[in-house]
Amino acid sequence: MKKIAIVAGGDSSEHDVSLRSAQGIWSFLNHDKYETYIITIEGTDWKMVQYDGKEYDMTKSWQVDRNDFTVMKDGEKIAFDFAYIIIHGTPGENGILQGYFDLIRMPYSCCGVLAAALTCSKYTCNKYLSTMGIPVAKSILLRKGDSVTTKDAVAQLGLPMFVKPNGGGSSFATFKIQNAEELQPAIAAAFKEATQEVIIESFMKGTEITCGCYTSRDGLRALPVTEVVPKVEFFDYDAKYNGAVEEITPARISDEMTKRVQETTKKIYRYIGAKGIIRVDYIIIDDVPHLLEVNTTPGMTATSFIPQEVRAAGLDISDVMDDVIDFGR
């Protein structure tokens, strides 16, 4: 039996979301086929934690030897065959952890260093994909120490607009700016979350959708499209994790638009050199899908978009996990 390490946690505000996704991955894997363990990472504290399929027991843990990613438990050395990275944010979504696994020759579930670093920067990724003909929002990037006047931002992007950490997720420190006087406080709040880079984007009004894609044994497969209908101002943290949203799979769009979105998602998968499962978010404006962002480590709780789309496709999620492991780097 292959020993699978589900690697979760991380150093961002998405730490707890990642732990929930790890529980989802654990439940999706075939335990007759794999020995499954959960590794948590927070700073330099890497440990294997006790998990019984329902809840974590953080009082029972064993340190990871970072020289070779092994664990000593009860006098036995556990060496893993595969790492399923489910850290949202740093260091699992920006290429840092992928570089470590490349160095020690450990196969893993998601894209490599370049694609991870590219997609973790929303601004850079969208600018790159726009050169491939993918429509994106207008945007301004602010690095630490940079500033933009409210007048210039409104002139370039209009109102409303969004302010968010450039490398963040789960809509932490994301603000929809309706009035000009809200902009500078939002930038300051986003920098408290991100510290290094903040992106300001023009508002795109339309139908919000998302589409998963992965490499299967039959080739690249795009999943059914999900329509996202927030019950709040936008698809924020409350909508994502506390039920303030209606998620409709398959989306209420035409078959032609569905195929167009799926083909665009597969193109993006190839353009960035993705591996494993990705999810691409769009806004449909005047029958044209506009890119919001690319998620190379999407949420994987039982109610997340990807499991929903897998079920809608008539697939077994454990078979999808097998494909991710079989085609891992």
Side-chain angles (χ1 to χ4, degrees):
M1 295 176 69
K2 281 188 177 180
K3 291 181 173 64
I4 309 298
I6 303 171
V7 188
D11 302 324
S12 75
S13 295
E14 295 181 273
H15 181 96
D16 291 345
V17 175
S18 171
L19 294 179
R20 289 162 60 182
S21 285
Q23 291 173 307
I25 296 295
W26 194 95
S27 70
F28 301 148
L29 289 170
N30 184 343
H31 295 281
D32 292 328
K33 190 172 183 178
Y34 308 112
E35 290 182 27
T36 308
Y37 305 84
I38 293 183
I39 304 293
T40 63
I41 289 177
E42 188 167 9
T44 58
D45 184 19
W46 295 25
K47 58 192 177 186
M48 184 175 77
V49 298
Q50 186 77 29
Y51 182 67
D52 63 4
K54 294 182 180 179
E55 58 184 23
Y56 297 106
D57 183 351
M58 296 298 188
T59 65
K60 296 181 180 178
S61 63
W62 301 264
Q63 290 300 309
V64 174
D65 184 343
R66 295 195 299 275
N67 289 300
D68 57 4
F69 200 66
T70 59
V71 173
M72 288 295 297
K73 180 184 177 184
D74 302 329
E76 175 190 0
K77 185 175 184 178
I78 301 173
F80 304 104
D81 300 300
F82 186 87
Y84 198 111
I85 301 173
I86 198 63
I87 293 176
H88 310 309
T90 188
E93 204 167 12
N94 56 6
I96 294 173
L97 193 57
Q98 290 87 337
Y100 163 77
F101 284 133
D102 284 343
L103 285 171
I104 66 169
R105 307 296 192 267
M106 171 69 69
Y108 53 89
S109 57
C110 53
C111 62
V113 174
L114 177 59
L118 171 67
T119 54
C120 194
S121 169
K122 296 177 176 65
Y123 180 87
T124 306
C125 184
N126 286 10
K127 288 296 184 184
Y128 166 67
L129 289 173
S130 71
T131 68
M132 305 293 187
I134 306 295
V136 301
K138 293 183 289 184
S139 60
I140 298 169
L141 179 68
L142 298 178
R143 293 195 170 94
K144 187 175 182 180
D146 291 346
S147 63
V148 64
T149 67
T150 299
K151 181 180 178 181
D152 286 346
V154 172
Q156 291 182 56
L157 307 179
L159 287 170
M161 65 179 75
F162 279 98
V163 174
K164 64 182 85 170
N166 187 42
S170 293
S171 296
F172 282 108
T174 296
F175 305 94
K176 185 177 181 180
I177 307 304
Q178 301 278 16
N179 303 301
E181 60 268 18
E182 299 171 353
L183 178 60
Q184 298 302 332
I187 291 172
F191 265 120
K192 286 183 180 179
E193 172 72 20
T195 71
Q196 295 300 317
E197 293 183 338
V198 165
I199 184 173
I200 312 172
E201 288 184 323
S202 60
F203 173 66
M204 296 191 292
K205 183 177 177 59
T207 301
E208 186 166 353
I209 58 169
T210 188
C211 181
C213 186
Y214 73 103
T215 301
S216 76
R217 64 200 72 184
D218 300 317
L220 192 58
R221 181 195 291 269
L223 294 167
V225 178
T226 298
E227 183 179 349
V228 182
V229 187
K231 299 176 184 177
V232 289
E233 186 67 27
F234 65 96
F235 192 42
D236 61 5
Y237 183 90
D238 189 46
K240 289 178 178 178
Y241 301 109
N242 296 322
V245 65
E246 184 179 6
E247 299 168 0
I248 303 166
T249 309
R252 298 171 299 183
I253 57 178
S254 68
D255 290 345
E256 179 183 356
M257 179 58 71
T258 296
K259 291 177 183 176
R260 183 175 179 180
V261 169
Q262 289 174 323
E263 287 305 310
T264 300
T265 302
K266 288 195 279 189
K267 286 180 182 178
I268 289 172
Y269 193 103
R270 296 187 184 99
Y271 288 155
I272 65 173
K275 295 288 184 182
I277 300 172
I278 72 166
R279 197 191 78 232
V280 184
D281 303 337
Y282 305 89
I283 295 282
I284 300 174
I285 306 171
D286 297 329
D287 290 326
V288 178
H290 288 61
L291 175 67
L292 283 174
E293 63 180 87
V294 181
N295 300 276
T296 56
T297 311
M300 290 293 285
T301 69
T303 58
S304 294
F305 290 124
I306 295 297
Q308 287 184 50
E309 294 175 0
V310 167
R311 289 192 294 270
L315 301 170
D316 189 318
I317 189 68
S318 65
D319 290 338
V320 174
M321 294 294 100
D322 287 347
D323 283 347
V324 171
I325 293 168
D326 289 344
F327 292 97
R329 296 181 66 86

